Amino acid sequence: MGVMTDYFRAADAAVVRRVLEAADGGSPLLGPQRALDGVEAKGLDPTVVLGQLVAAVRQVPWAVDLVGDTPVWPATPPPGRDGPEDEDDPWLTGPWVFELDAGTRDTLAAIPDEDIPAVAARWARAEELHGASAESLCPVVGDLAGLARRARVAGDLLYCWTCL
């Protein structure tokens, strides 16, 4: 079973929650009318794989806290609740949406088009990418950089929708 991930931009978490409620938690990138501007990126989780990209751009070692994220969906559990209660609990089953920190958006937005091949080559060295080539990663880097640029210009943040 693979992890599905989509990255998209929105003004704030309230907009994201409204779109997800209308889509019954489904990806805001699916359907005949895409609700939000985004990029489909199967398997590129925000903490590790996107974190490896951010590390490649910044030319620093990867760290677990390199990409800051805040849960947006499902809603925050009520106070005093420690975790999932049953197999139908959305915290256990997903989907999940995380708001990414502005530093991640700005790092991706700052990738000049002419540097995309070099960034992709550095990113391709990440063990989690299982030997992907720099050439195959160039379009992903370009798509994520473009999304981040549009988000920064609009004053939006980046979000990651994840589902098993």
Side-chain angles (χ1 to χ4, degrees), residues 10-85:
D12 57 36
V15 169
V16 173
R17 283 190 286 274
R18 281 194 301 274
V19 167
L20 288 168
E21 286 167 6
D24 203 21
S27 171
L29 304 185
L30 298 178
Q33 293 182 330
R34 293 169 61 120
L36 297 169
D37 176 23
V39 174
E40 294 179 32
K42 183 177 179 180
L44 300 184
D45 75 280
T47 303
V48 179
V49 182
L50 186 71
Q52 292 281 5
L53 173 57
V54 170
V57 174
R58 294 178 183 168
Q59 298 189 47
V60 300
W62 173 82
V64 72
D65 61 351
L66 196 57
V67 173
D69 60 33
T70 304
V72 170
W73 182 272
T76 305
R81 181 163 162 227
D82 293 330
E85 294 175 2

Side-chain angles (χ1 to χ4, degrees), residues 9-12 102 105-106 148 150-159:
R9 66 185 181 96
D12 57 36
R105 178 202 60 200
D106 294 345
R150 293 188 301 276
R152 185 172 59 183
V153 166
D156 291 346
L157 291 170
L158 293 179
Y159 295 84

Side-chain angles (χ1 to χ4, degrees), residues 67-159:
V67 173
D69 60 33
T70 304
V72 170
W73 182 272
T76 305
R81 181 163 162 227
D82 293 330
E85 294 175 2
D86 62 45
E87 63 188 36
D88 293 327
D89 189 304
W91 280 95
L92 179 63
T93 60
W96 304 273
V97 175
F98 300 92
E99 180 180 283
L100 306 182
D101 66 295
T104 296
R105 178 202 60 200
D106 294 345
T107 295
L108 296 174
I111 302 171
D113 288 339
E114 63 271 11
D115 289 354
I116 288 174
V119 168
R122 288 193 299 272
W123 191 31
R125 295 184 200 126
E127 179 181 331
E128 294 78 10
L129 293 172
H130 309 290
S133 70
E135 293 78 23
S136 69
L137 294 174
C138 278
V140 178
V141 174
D143 289 347
L144 289 169
L147 176 65
R149 289 177 197 143
R150 293 188 301 276
R152 185 172 59 183
V153 166
D156 291 346
L157 291 170
L158 293 179
Y159 295 84

